[in-house]
Amino acid sequence: MDSLAIADHLKNHGIKPSYPRIQIYKYLYDRRSHPTVDQIYNDLIKLIPTLSKTTIYNTLGLFINATLVKSFMLDENEKRYEIIIHDHSHFKCEKCNSIYDIPYDDIDLLPQQYNNFQIDEVQIFLRGICEDCLEQ
Amino acid sequence: MDSLAIADHLKNHGIKPSYPRIQIYKYLYDRRSHPTVDQIYNDLIKLIPTLSKTTIYNTLGLFINATLVKSFMLDENEKRYEIIIHDHSHFKCEKCNSIYDIPYDDIDLLPQQYNNFQIDEVQIFLRGICEDCLEQ
DNA sequence: AACTTCAGTGTAATCATTACATATATGATA
DNA sequence: TATCATATATGTAATGATTACACTGAAGTT
C-alpha cells in the first residue's frame, strides 16, 4: 500500500493523514510484525528525525479508536500493536521469541450456557516452541 | 482448603510454608478471582498488618515457578494472578467489568501445517457484554 | 548461645505509559 | 496574501506497576 492509498484509507476512517500518521500506518502494514512502541520509535526515527514517542502513542490511540489497529500484551509489560486484518491467534516461540500469526477458523469458544453473551473481541495466545527451533 | 493442607501442598512443591505464603495462596484459592497485586495487598493487609507488596511479588513469583499459579494480562497494565486449576478462558464484561472463567474443551487451535509446534500454554481472552448486563 | 540460611520488609530505581503545556502546521476566510 | 482557528506534533514532567537491592528478623542446626 503506497502513501496515497494509506492517506485515503485514513481519511475514510476520519483521520487526517499527516506524514507521521501515514508512516506509522505504513510501518505496521508493510512489516506485519507486532512491534512495541519502542521498536516503532527506533525504526521510524531514522525516517522522521523529529518524531516523538508521544506522537506514536497518540497516533496508535487514534488508529485503535478507528478499529484500524489493535493492541495486545504477551505477558511482558509492553503493549504490542498490529494492523487488524482477520481473526488470528498469536504463537510465541520461547526459544527464538518470534511471534507467529496463526489463522483460525470459526471456533466455538463458548459452551452452550454462554450462548447469550455478546462477544466483541477474541484474543488467543499460544506459547511454546516452534517447528524450526525444535528441529535444531 | 485449610491452612494445614495448603502448607503441605506448598511443601510438596518445594516452597516453605510461611504465614504470608499460606495466606496468599489461600486468598487465591478461596476466592477464585483474578486479583491484581494491589487487590491482594489491600485485602490481606487487614490480616497481616506488616505485609509488603514486595512479599506478594516474591511469593507469586515462587508460585509461578512451581506452576501453582499463573499470571495473565487483560489489556490493562496490571498483571492478574490465579490458581492453576484446569484449562479455561477468560471473558471480561465491558459493562460490569467482571471476569468470567469459561471452560473450554479440547479445541484444535492449530491448523494442520502447525502440527509440529510444541504448545506449552494456551490463553484465550474474550471481551464483550455478559448476559446479565445485556438483560438490563 | 552462636551461626547459617531463608523469609520479609522498606526504600529506591526502572521503565512503559499518560498528562499537560507549548510549538508547529494546516486550512479557511477575508 | 495575511490572519485566524483548529488540529497536529513535540518535549518535559508525572504516574504507577514492577523490580533491584540492602537490611532486618525469624527459624533451625550444631
Side-chain angles (χ1 to χ4, degrees), chain B residues 16 18 20-21 50-52 54-55 58 77:
Chain B
K16 290 198 182 165
S18 72
R21 288 175 181 179
T50 60
L51 184 66
S52 82
T54 307
T55 298
N58 289 341
N77 21 6

Side-chain angles (χ1 to χ4, degrees), chain B residues 7-114:
Chain B
D8 278 344
H9 190 51
L10 295 182
K11 269 189 239 164
N12 290 339
H13 287 79
I15 296 172
K16 290 198 182 165
S18 72
Y19 184 66
R21 288 175 181 179
I22 291 173
Q23 291 308 321
I24 292 170
Y25 190 93
K26 192 171 169 55
Y27 181 89
L28 291 172
Y29 187 87
D30 287 348
R31 309 221 178 182
R32 297 293 165 91
S33 55
H34 313 80
T36 62
V37 165
D38 217 54
Q39 289 168 342
I40 299 173
Y41 178 79
N42 287 324
D43 286 331
L44 285 188
I45 193 71
K46 300 165 193 161
L47 194 62
I48 316 171
T50 60
L51 184 66
S52 82
K53 281 196 186 176
T54 307
T55 298
I56 299 175
Y57 279 110
N58 289 341
T59 302
L60 291 172
L62 281 176
F63 289 171
I64 288 172
N65 276 341
T67 60
L68 293 170
V69 162
K70 72 174 179 177
S71 76
F72 62 95
M73 304 192 78
L74 257 170
D75 242 25
E76 313 104 343
N77 21 6
E78 280 175 298
K79 281 188 185 157
R80 294 179 173 277
Y81 298 85
E82 70 177 353
I83 294 278
I84 294 177
I85 300 181
H86 57 74
D87 281 346
H88 62 274
S89 52
H90 294 117
F91 178 97
K92 177 170 185 183
C93 175
E94 297 291 355
K95 270 208 174 163
C96 62
N97 285 321
S98 357
I99 299 173
Y100 292 79
D101 283 336
I102 303 204
Y104 61 83
D105 302 320
D106 292 327
I107 301 176
D108 254 353
L109 289 168
L110 292 186
Q112 285 291 333
Q113 71 260 38
Y114 297 96

Side-chain angles (χ1 to χ4, degrees), chain A residues 54-94:
Chain A
T54 307
T55 298
I56 299 174
Y57 279 110
N58 289 340
T59 302
L60 291 172
L62 282 176
F63 288 172
I64 288 171
N65 276 340
T67 62
L68 293 170
V69 162
K70 72 174 180 176
S71 76
F72 62 95
M73 303 192 78
L74 257 170
D75 243 24
E76 312 104 341
N77 338 335
E78 282 176 297
K79 280 189 185 157
R80 295 178 173 276
Y81 298 85
E82 70 179 353
I83 294 278
I84 294 176
I85 300 181
H86 57 73
D87 281 346
H88 62 274
S89 53
H90 293 116
F91 178 98
K92 176 169 184 184
C93 175
E94 296 292 353

Side-chain angles (χ1 to χ4, degrees), chain A residues 8-74:
Chain A
D8 278 344
H9 191 51
L10 295 183
K11 269 188 240 165
N12 290 338
H13 286 80
I15 295 171
K16 289 200 182 165
S18 71
Y19 184 65
R21 289 175 179 180
I22 291 173
Q23 291 309 321
I24 291 169
Y25 190 93
K26 192 171 169 55
Y27 181 89
L28 291 171
Y29 188 88
D30 287 348
R31 308 218 179 183
R32 297 294 164 90
S33 56
H34 314 78
T36 62
V37 164
D38 216 55
Q39 287 168 343
I40 299 173
Y41 178 79
N42 286 324
D43 286 330
L44 284 188
I45 192 72
K46 299 165 194 161
L47 194 62
I48 316 171
T50 62
L51 185 65
S52 83
K53 281 195 185 177
T54 307
T55 298
I56 299 174
Y57 279 110
N58 289 340
T59 302
L60 291 172
L62 282 176
F63 288 172
I64 288 171
N65 276 340
T67 62
L68 293 170
V69 162
K70 72 174 180 176
S71 76
F72 62 95
M73 303 192 78
L74 257 170

